[in-house]
Amino acid sequence: MKLKHYFVLLALGIVLLAGAALYAAFGSDSTLFYAVEGFVVVLLCYLGYFYRKTIRPYDTLIGGMELVKDLDLTTRLAPSGQHETDLIVRTFNDLLTRLRSEHLTLEEQYSFLSLLIEASPMGIVQCDIDGRTTSMNPAAREMLSPNIEEAMKALPMGESTTVRMTGGPQLFRISHLSFPDRGFQHPFFLIEPLTAEVRQAEKAAYERIIRMIAHEVNNSVAGIVNLIDSEPAADRLKALSAFVTRFAEVVKIPKPQLQLCDLSEEVEACQPFLENLCAGKPVHLAFCLTDEATPVHLDTVLFQQVLINIVKNAVESIGHNEGHITITTTPYQLVVTDDGCGIPAEVAQHLFTPFYSTKPQGQGLGLLLIRDILTAHGCTFSLLTDPDDHLTRFTIQFVTK
């Protein structure tokens, strides 16, 4: 029961008690009876005034508490005219003003943080206390893969690790962090792409080393060949010079001169070179080219070099066995499929790494050359063996403009 109800009951009790007492004491004297009754009426008026000054301001404060409970921070309490109550009302209104200001500041900061997370190029995956994913930004949805998910599950709190995408050149740093919220530490993962930075560092390092080696070896070979009478020895030195020169070619890739071309037409133009790679081998080369016009920006010379290297690798993967290579074009995509020996999972982790090769005489230059050319074209690409059909596919996704 509310306080005002108790007040009403008290007033009724006083009136009834006063009426009974007056009737018993002054019932025979009407003048005195009515005089005392008038005094009771004045007392009731005073009780009403007391109610207005005490109980009604109390109700006002209770209403203010309900406003705060409903997060209505815009309404203010009106002064009641009672000094002590108005002091509380002023303090309460000042408190509401401060709460509203802080609430608006928090909302603005939250909105800014939400926009920042959504637009961030880094992937952000938020989790609950039990480690279950609750939300992620668009960048994280694009980056997330089985490799990254597996690394996230095994990563302890407060530590970081790097993950290379299977069958691709992408490299990511994953950090397992947390932030305090309502007294609890909420975990989240930060996924940062490192591909461009690592590729630039790798390229700068191997370019410097290759230039130095090529310069020293070629200068030395050129001087020694003229002094050697033995033809086999001279041929061996020339072969060594050619070996080093092949490394030097990797750092001499020119900047792509892009022009608008039709993807299928460029593949058809390269068909004689590709068929020549398969000549004399039990390899069947097939083309499945789309008739739909697919305009892409290409450096035709560099593109042909990429396609020749991909098919050459596929032919070597098939080896002396009978096999099939299929080149397929769809809008803005090129796929080279072969049924060779496939790529083991442990090898797929190291593809497109400088100078990595599983071939006995391999130098690790083919995929490095392909990687640098396709990256310069802005393409995304992958090289994977499908565990279901055991076919190996080199997929190139061209930029749409």
Side-chain angles (χ1 to χ4, degrees):
M1 185 180 295
K2 293 185 178 180
L3 185 61
K4 66 180 180 180
H5 296 152
Y6 286 111
F7 184 85
V8 171
L9 289 176
L10 175 63
L12 289 175
I14 291 174
V15 170
L16 291 176
L17 181 61
L22 288 173
Y23 184 78
F26 306 107
S28 58
D29 189 345
S30 60
T31 302
L32 187 58
F33 176 80
Y34 288 117
V36 175
E37 276 291 329
F39 176 76
V40 171
V41 171
V42 172
L43 179 62
L44 287 177
C45 293
Y46 175 78
L47 286 175
Y49 176 79
F50 182 79
Y51 172 80
R52 290 183 58 191
K53 289 295 184 180
T54 306
I55 305 302
R56 287 185 63 182
Y58 175 81
D59 289 339
T60 301
L61 294 178
I62 293 297
M65 294 297 105
E66 294 294 331
L67 293 177
V68 175
K69 182 180 177 180
D70 296 335
L71 292 181
D72 182 0
L73 305 179
T74 58
T75 305
R76 297 292 180 268
L77 300 182
S80 64
Q82 204 274 335
H83 176 71
E84 290 79 2
T85 304
D86 286 348
L87 181 61
I88 298 176
V89 167
R90 285 195 298 271
T91 303
F92 185 81
N93 287 339
D94 291 341
L95 179 61
L96 283 182
T97 301
R98 291 176 58 185
L99 285 175
R100 175 173 170 75
S101 177
E102 293 178 2
H103 185 70
L104 288 176
T105 301
L106 288 175
E107 282 189 343
E108 291 169 356
Q109 291 177 347
Y110 178 78
S111 299
F112 174 73
L113 182 60
S114 298
L115 290 174
L116 193 63
I117 290 175
E118 288 296 306
S120 173
M122 294 189 294
I124 301 174
V125 180
Q126 298 185 47
C127 305
D128 58 18
I129 299 177
D130 298 323
R132 293 186 294 264
T133 300
T134 56
S135 65
M136 64 180 70
N137 66 343
R141 283 191 285 270
E142 292 180 3
M143 297 177 190
L144 214 58
S145 67
N147 291 43
I148 292 180
E149 290 180 351
E150 184 177 349
M152 288 167 56
K153 292 178 182 177
L155 187 62
M157 175 66 71
E159 296 189 9
S160 299
T161 186
T162 55
V163 177
R164 186 180 292 274
M165 296 295 290
T166 301
Q170 296 90 350
L171 186 68
F172 300 93
R173 178 192 290 123
I174 305 175
S175 301
H176 192 184
L177 307 171
S178 65
F179 64 93
D181 182 24
R182 301 174 188 177
F184 296 95
Q185 292 294 326
H186 286 253
F188 71 97
F189 292 92
L190 194 64
I191 307 173
E192 182 180 1
L194 300 177
T195 308
E197 292 83 353
V198 172
R199 184 183 296 122
Q200 290 174 1
E202 288 177 347
K203 193 171 185 356
Y206 70 67
E207 282 182 356
R208 186 167 57 252
I209 294 172
I210 288 175
R211 286 195 184 101
M212 181 182 66
I213 293 175
H215 176 76
E216 295 297 330
V217 171
N218 286 333
N219 285 350
S220 299
V221 168
I224 295 173
V225 168
N226 296 327
L227 301 176
I228 294 179
D229 296 330
S230 172
E231 185 174 344
D235 291 340
R236 180 70 188 95
L237 286 175
K238 291 178 181 178
L240 176 61
S241 178
F243 174 81
V244 175
T245 300
R246 285 197 297 273
F247 279 96
E249 291 298 325
V250 176
V251 302
K252 295 180 180 178
I253 299 173
K255 184 179 180 180
Q257 303 299 316
L258 302 179
Q259 54 183 327
L260 197 60
C261 311
D262 185 83
L263 181 59
S264 296
E265 290 180 359
E266 292 303 317
V267 174
E268 287 180 347
C270 199
Q271 183 172 346
F273 303 103
L274 303 179
E275 291 175 342
N276 185 59
L277 290 174
C278 302
K281 299 180 179 63
V283 177
H284 303 278
L285 182 63
F287 294 84
C288 298
L289 308 180
T290 179
D291 294 331
E292 184 178 348
T294 306
V296 292
H297 288 82
L298 290 175
D299 183 312
T300 56
V301 176
L302 293 178
F303 173 73
Q304 289 182 2
Q305 187 65 40
V306 166
L307 193 54
I308 289 172
N309 273 274
I310 294 174
V311 174
K312 179 176 176 292
N313 287 341
V315 171
E316 292 175 352
S317 174
I318 293 172
H320 298 292
N321 303 318
E322 184 175 356
H324 299 79
I325 298 175
T326 304
I327 301 177
T328 306
T329 60
T330 56
Y332 305 104
Q333 189 178 76
L334 171 69
V335 182
V336 179
T337 308
D338 71 78
D339 56 1
C341 61
I343 303 172
E346 60 273 13
V347 174
Q349 294 285 344
H350 302 284
L351 293 176
F352 303 103
T353 300
F355 312 120
Y356 176 82
S357 177
T358 58
K359 302 173 186 176
Q361 304 299 324
Q363 301 165 15
L365 297 179
L367 289 179
L368 184 62
L369 181 72
I370 292 171
R371 186 197 75 174
D372 288 349
I373 293 176
L374 292 180
T375 300
H377 278 75
C379 301
T380 55
F381 51 94
S382 63
L383 177 57
L384 290 169
T385 298
D386 193 310
D388 297 326
D389 57 19
H390 305 291
L391 296 178
T392 301
R393 294 178 175 86
F394 198 119
T395 305
I396 305 173
Q397 187 71 40
F398 292 90
V399 178
T400 58
K401 293 183 179 179

